[in-house]
Amino acid sequence: IDVHFGEFHERYSQLFQLHSRVAGEKSLEYFKGLIQAKKKNMERMAEAVPFSDDQSLQHFLTNSEWDEQLIVDRIAVDANNHIGGKQDSCLIIDEKVFPKKGDKSVGVKRQWCGQLGKVDNCQVGVFSALGYREHATPVGFKLYLPEDWTDDRKRCKTAGIPDESIVFYSKHDLAFQLVLEARRQGIQFGWVGADGFYGENPAFLRSLDQINETFMIDVHKDQRIYLENPEPVVPARKSNKGPEPKKPKAQTEPVRVDKWLEQQPEEAWQRTIVRDTTKGKLLVDVLHKLVWLWDGEEPEAHFRHLIVRREVTGTKVKFSLSNAPENISLERLIFMQAQRYWIERSFQDA
């Protein structure tokens, strides 16, 4: 095991370059601590690694000037060599929350903490994971800096945030940056997946569309759709009084996806297999509809696939939208929708 672990570490050790010297030995101690210690704080990690100490490990992580982006890029390339470039390869976006005490940790504030199920003191990171069937591994990350932080330059400088990083980006902005970064790294994937938080943002979906990325992204039950092309047009001026109309209006009315669902007959559902599990085959009921989306701002609406998935043994329903080609099969759409599950597994494994 030590031989294989050493070979694995050797691929990364030269990236821990500190001007005139390499911190590869200290990085090896840190890696061993992560693997062997049950609790991942410096004291417990140092106890698990002979001839190590917590202060040197902390200095290596906090103060050493190696470039973490080089490490991330190498991991991304290695992951792509294993599970990228295949028909079922995808890039999944999700956020991970880290509960914290105090107000010194970079980006910490009282905000929604999914891990605790309530608003609490925490940090939020936006992550990208490369997925291939039941395999997934994180390949990119961005720390979310709330406006409370970016508006307080002194606080940022005290916490050691570089000048170029004191810029506010929404989580949707960070997610889009991760997609661009993955392409820069040479990662090969067929589509982008994300949950309803990202699906509720029309600008995020529009940005993916504009760079020709296929997406399969969940949306909330109040998502509005058009059952036919709304063909938005600027209405003609009705009189000489008042300003000339400039804002386009839809020619048809939208409907919420949950309200549309209520109108569908039970026989419209199709039962299908999502994947094999330890408890047998995972069966779901599915509805598929070709719909139109228009956010009220764009000059024209967009054609989309709406996929509704219902648990066979429960009442939980998931709505998703995709800009995949019109002739794609339903089986393929269901497979794509189900792949977001694996990023949660990658967090658990980490």
Side-chain angles (χ1 to χ4, degrees):
I1 295 177
D2 282 345
V3 172
H4 293 305
F5 186 83
E7 291 175 350
F8 173 81
H9 173 262
E10 186 63 29
R11 300 210 305 267
Y12 298 89
S13 61
Q14 294 301 313
L15 299 176
F16 295 99
Q17 180 73 44
L18 307 176
H19 300 299
S20 60
R21 66 188 183 89
V22 176
E25 183 178 343
K26 192 57 61 180
S27 70
L28 181 59
E29 292 180 9
Y30 183 78
F31 283 4
K32 287 182 176 180
L34 283 178
I35 295 295
Q36 297 178 102
K38 292 184 178 180
K39 292 187 176 182
K40 311 303 180 183
N41 58 55
M42 298 303 172
E43 290 82 0
R44 302 293 82 78
M45 289 167 62
E47 290 173 357
V49 182
F51 310 111
S52 181
D53 67 88
D54 59 285
Q55 290 186 352
S56 63
L57 289 179
Q58 186 67 63
H59 183 274
F60 163 76
L61 190 67
T62 305
N63 302 110
S64 296
E65 296 181 357
W66 46 270
D67 186 348
E68 77 281 354
Q69 190 60 48
L70 295 178
I71 310 297
V72 174
D73 289 347
R74 177 65 60 84
I75 291 171
V77 169
D78 287 351
N80 187 65
N81 289 338
H82 284 287
I83 60 175
K86 305 179 188 299
Q87 182 183 11
D88 295 337
S89 300
C90 59
L91 190 75
I92 315 167
I93 305 294
D94 202 2
E95 57 189 63
K96 179 70 175 169
V97 178
F98 305 90
K100 292 287 182 178
K101 302 295 183 181
D103 60 358
K104 303 300 182 184
S105 299
V106 175
V108 72
K109 69 168 292 184
R110 287 187 61 80
Q111 53 194 323
W112 176 253
C113 181
Q115 184 173 328
L116 302 178
K118 62 179 181 179
V119 173
D120 210 332
N121 209 50
C122 59
Q123 292 171 304
V124 176
V126 182
F127 290 79
S128 60
L130 180 61
Y132 170 66
R133 298 183 181 175
E134 71 273 20
H135 306 288
T137 185
V139 292
F141 72 94
K142 301 287 182 183
L143 178 65
Y144 172 64
L145 275 183
E147 289 180 279
D148 296 11
W149 276 81
T150 56
D151 289 345
D152 189 343
R153 198 167 191 85
K154 182 179 179 181
R155 185 186 187 189
C156 289
K157 296 298 291 182
T158 300
I161 302 176
D163 288 335
E164 63 272 16
S165 297
I166 307 177
V167 181
F168 175 73
Y169 292 107
S170 70
K171 295 170 188 174
H172 304 99
D173 294 333
L174 299 178
F176 186 65
Q177 290 175 20
L178 286 171
V179 176
L180 295 177
E181 183 176 283
R183 291 302 188 190
R184 175 189 62 79
Q185 292 165 329
I187 298 180
Q188 299 169 289
F189 53 90
W191 75 92
V192 176
D195 67 16
F197 172 76
Y198 298 94
E200 71 181 11
N201 186 277
F204 177 62
L205 299 185
R206 185 163 60 246
S207 296
L208 292 176
D209 213 31
Q210 289 171 347
I211 60 173
N212 298 316
E213 292 290 355
T214 300
F215 60 76
M216 170 64 73
I217 296 183
D218 295 349
V219 293
H220 299 309
K221 64 181 182 180
D222 60 353
Q223 171 71 43
R224 292 183 177 273
I225 57 172
Y226 292 88
L227 302 180
E228 55 184 277
N229 190 345
E231 298 181 342
V233 296
V234 177
R237 191 170 186 172
K238 295 181 179 180
S239 71
N240 293 328
K241 296 181 179 180
E244 184 176 350
K246 295 182 179 180
K247 190 176 180 64
K249 289 188 176 182
Q251 304 304 297
T252 59
E253 291 296 320
V255 60
R256 284 174 43 140
V257 290
D258 59 346
K259 299 303 181 184
W260 171 81
L261 181 61
E262 291 174 359
Q263 301 170 7
Q264 306 313 303
E266 187 62 29
E267 58 268 22
W269 293 90
Q270 299 182 53
R271 184 153 297 184
T272 184
I273 299 172
V274 175
R275 59 175 173 267
D276 293 326
T277 71
T278 55
K279 298 181 180 180
K281 296 186 182 300
L282 176 60
L283 294 173
V284 296
D285 290 327
V286 178
L287 281 176
H288 173 234
K289 176 72 175 176
L290 296 173
V291 300
W292 295 85
L293 286 191
W294 183 56
D295 62 6
E297 302 294 335
E298 297 175 277
E300 59 183 25
H302 299 282
F303 196 61
R304 299 287 182 253
H305 295 273
L306 170 65
I307 303 94
V308 186
R309 175 176 136 181
R310 183 181 67 185
E311 294 180 350
V312 172
T313 57
T315 59
K316 187 177 180 180
V317 174
K318 176 185 288 189
F319 301 94
S320 304
L321 290 170
S322 177
N323 62 343
E326 183 178 351
N327 61 352
I328 191 171
S329 69
L330 177 59
E331 290 74 18
R332 185 63 179 169
L333 289 170
I334 295 304
F335 174 82
M336 292 166 63
Q337 186 196 52
Q339 287 307 99
R340 197 176 65 77
Y341 164 82
W342 297 107
I343 191 170
E344 294 292 345
R345 289 294 304 271
S346 73
F347 289 151
Q348 293 170 9
D349 293 342

